[in-house]
Amino acid sequence: MNLDQFKPLTVYTIYIVSTPDKVWEALTSAEFSKKYFSGFAVEMERRLGGSFIVRAPDGSEHISGEVFEYDPPNKLTVTWNINWPDLVARLGTTLVTYEIEQAGEAVRLTMSERHDRALSDDILSGGRTGWPAILSGLKSLLETGKAPQIKMTPPAQMLAALKAMGIKTP
């Protein structure tokens, strides 16, 4: 896969009062991620080329992928393929990158979502709705020990756009 063909379409930067090691652990630990990611658990083989899975609260495999960049505690890039029938075939692979940098007494976490093709704002609205809630939960959990319980559902415009493309959604 040629990473140069992927262009960032969504980028978020937040500052967290924490350490790079703790932010890294929060992003890569199943037990920790369940606390801020609405019960979803990040499971990954902690190595370049390793598997990357996000399990739904019922244990099913919601997202699957592979580790493309692995530089703890500075940078992690994974493929992020939602397991809905025909989704990846029609929309291509998504790359998610986390960059972690010390910024004074805080950590600057930059998350980018890249795609190998142009996608409509309606399609991108799913990530643009979900990522702020996920990253806000991570920040709150690291800073206060408690994550807000944020109810997330796929945006109606995204579901409608996928349906128009013939992609089945849950």
Side-chain angles (χ1 to χ4, degrees):
M1 180 182 302
N2 177 6
L3 295 180
D4 293 334
Q5 71 189 22
F6 287 81
K7 304 298 179 210
L9 296 175
T10 306
V11 178
Y12 294 102
T13 300
I14 62 171
Y15 291 83
I16 305 169
V17 178
S18 189
T19 66
D21 287 327
K22 287 180 181 176
V23 172
W24 180 269
E25 185 63 23
L27 293 168
T28 61
S29 160
E31 286 307 311
F32 203 97
S33 60
K34 281 193 243 183
K35 296 175 186 175
Y36 69 83
F37 196 173
S38 299
F40 286 78
V42 171
E43 299 175 1
M44 62 178 278
E45 292 179 299
R46 294 175 181 231
R47 62 177 176 82
L48 191 62
S51 66
F52 177 84
I53 296 169
V54 177
R55 292 203 186 276
D58 67 4
S60 64
E61 192 174 290
H62 179 60
I63 294 166
S64 62
E66 181 180 337
V67 177
F68 267 81
E69 293 180 288
Y70 186 79
D71 180 19
N74 306 304
K75 188 173 187 180
L76 175 67
T77 299
V78 297
T79 53
W80 186 279
N81 298 313
I82 297 175
N83 292 324
W84 291 349
D86 301 323
L87 187 71
V88 175
R90 294 277 186 82
L91 299 182
T93 295
T94 299
L95 285 178
V96 172
T97 298
Y98 300 102
E99 295 176 273
I100 302 165
E101 304 170 84
Q102 193 69 51
E105 295 179 9
V107 170
R108 178 178 38 252
L109 172 61
T110 303
M111 188 285 319
S112 63
E113 180 182 285
R114 297 183 281 168
H115 303 272
D116 65 352
R117 61 197 72 184
L119 298 174
S120 71
D121 283 337
D122 287 343
I123 296 294
L124 294 172
S125 69
R128 291 176 177 170
T129 299
W131 283 117
I134 293 164
L135 296 174
S136 294
L138 176 123
K139 175 180 172 60
S140 293
L141 184 58
L142 285 170
E143 291 181 347
T144 71
K146 184 177 181 195
Q149 297 305 306
I150 302 170
K151 176 99 169 117
M152 292 187 289
T153 58
Q157 71 266 31
M158 180 193 79
L159 295 174
L162 292 173
K163 184 178 180 181
M165 294 176 73
I167 297 171
K168 298 175 188 166
T169 59

